[in-house]
Amino acid sequence: MSTNDSTVRIGLILPDVMGTYGDDGNALILRQRLRWRGYDAEIVRITLDDPVPDSCDIYAVGGGEDAAQVLATKHLSDSRGVQAAVAKGTPVLAICAGMQIFGEWFAIADGSRVPGLGLLDVTTLPQKTRSIGEVASAPLLDGLTEPLLGFENHMGATELGPDAAPLGRVTAGTGNGVAGGEGPADDGGEGVVQGSIIATYMHGPALSRNPQLADLLLSRALGVDTLDPVDVPAQERLRSERLAAGRR
């Protein structure tokens, strides 16, 4: 999509089970940043009662606990709209448990492994302790130059395979974690990038703290190289505050 005369459709995936930490806000931020630039935009809520369409221009999925992850994985495996959209190159933002279910498999509290969607070359095992607190990273994805900021809250340690790359290099917090251990990930990575999917452990919601990341996703959805800047002073104050919090 590259013109202002069509409505941009933002697919919010399973907000009824995968929105534990306010991650639904990412869809709101995408919609508002489009409207500030004169685009018509709507959020398409895709619940457990709905088939998953492959026709949205961009998708977002949030976090959830074990039971929610299992429900979400089954629904997305049965109704394969996201897989079809990814095959077409449609941008997707996956947060925390959303990142895990997009992988090859993830382990839940009882130790069993649940097959994921196979869209990311990652696997997830439990950490020894929960990672919780501010997380920051230096971006590794082309088009991003500003530090990435968020709030992590996860027990999972996500290991990247050769087809996946980290979104950033951890400067504060844990990031992708270490299975059975503590502290930063072995490779110091945070998040995952593969194909049209950008995944991260950052809550916040992530796009409220990272407008450059939001605009990168939107430029991909619109099929444009750049977007007109928008001036939101409160956003810069939030970033400064969170940067300071991460250094404590």
Side-chain angles (χ1 to χ4, degrees):
M1 176 172 292
S2 59
T3 62
N4 287 26
D5 56 3
S6 298
T7 299
V8 182
R9 302 177 77 237
I10 303 161
L12 180 57
I13 300 172
L14 303 181
D16 46 344
V17 292
M18 297 291 286
T20 304
Y21 303 114
D23 298 315
D24 294 7
N26 289 314
L28 295 171
I29 291 158
L30 291 169
R31 184 179 66 183
Q32 185 58 47
R33 294 187 76 81
L34 285 163
R35 288 178 173 176
W36 278 334
R37 294 178 167 101
Y39 290 90
D40 291 328
E42 67 175 4
I43 296 172
V44 180
R45 290 175 58 86
I46 305 160
T47 73
L48 286 173
D49 295 325
D50 304 314
V52 183
D54 65 359
S55 55
C56 293
D57 300 294
I58 187 169
Y59 294 83
V61 59
E65 304 302 330
D66 283 1
Q69 285 182 263
V70 173
L71 283 171
T73 303
K74 183 179 187 311
H75 188 69
L76 295 175
S77 296
D78 293 341
S79 183
R80 300 180 62 82
V82 172
Q83 293 88 324
V86 169
K88 294 187 292 186
T90 305
V92 178
L93 175 67
I95 305 296
C96 197
M99 174 168 69
Q100 297 174 11
I101 68 174
F102 277 29
E104 298 296 333
W105 53 262
F106 57 93
I108 57 177
D110 65 7
S112 61
R113 295 182 178 183
V114 179
L117 304 182
L119 296 173
L120 293 173
D121 185 17
V122 304
T123 56
T124 302
L125 284 167
Q127 298 186 100
K128 184 177 180 181
T129 58
R130 176 171 289 274
S131 296
I132 183 166
E134 297 294 320
V135 61
S137 65
L140 298 174
L141 180 61
D142 287 346
L144 297 179
T145 59
E146 300 175 352
L148 294 162
L149 311 173
F151 187 88
E152 61 182 349
N153 186 355
H154 60 97
M155 278 295 295
T158 297
E159 182 178 358
L160 279 58
D163 292 333
L167 172 62
R169 189 71 60 202
V170 172
T171 57
T174 299
N176 290 339
V178 178
E182 301 180 19
D186 284 338
D187 63 358
E190 199 293 311
V192 183
V193 177
Q194 186 173 337
S196 64
I197 302 172
I198 295 175
T200 176
Y201 274 113
M202 295 185 296
H203 300 288
L207 299 185
S208 68
R209 301 190 183 198
N210 300 287
Q212 191 178 62
L213 176 59
D215 285 351
L216 176 64
L217 287 160
L218 289 175
S219 65
R220 292 181 175 184
L222 295 166
V224 299
D225 292 331
T226 59
L227 291 169
D228 293 336
V230 292
D231 183 24
V232 187
Q235 204 159 48
E236 292 310 309
R237 290 197 297 272
L238 172 64
R239 283 182 57 79
S240 296
E241 175 189 300
R242 294 298 88 200
L243 271 171
R247 297 190 187 106
R248 294 189 193 123

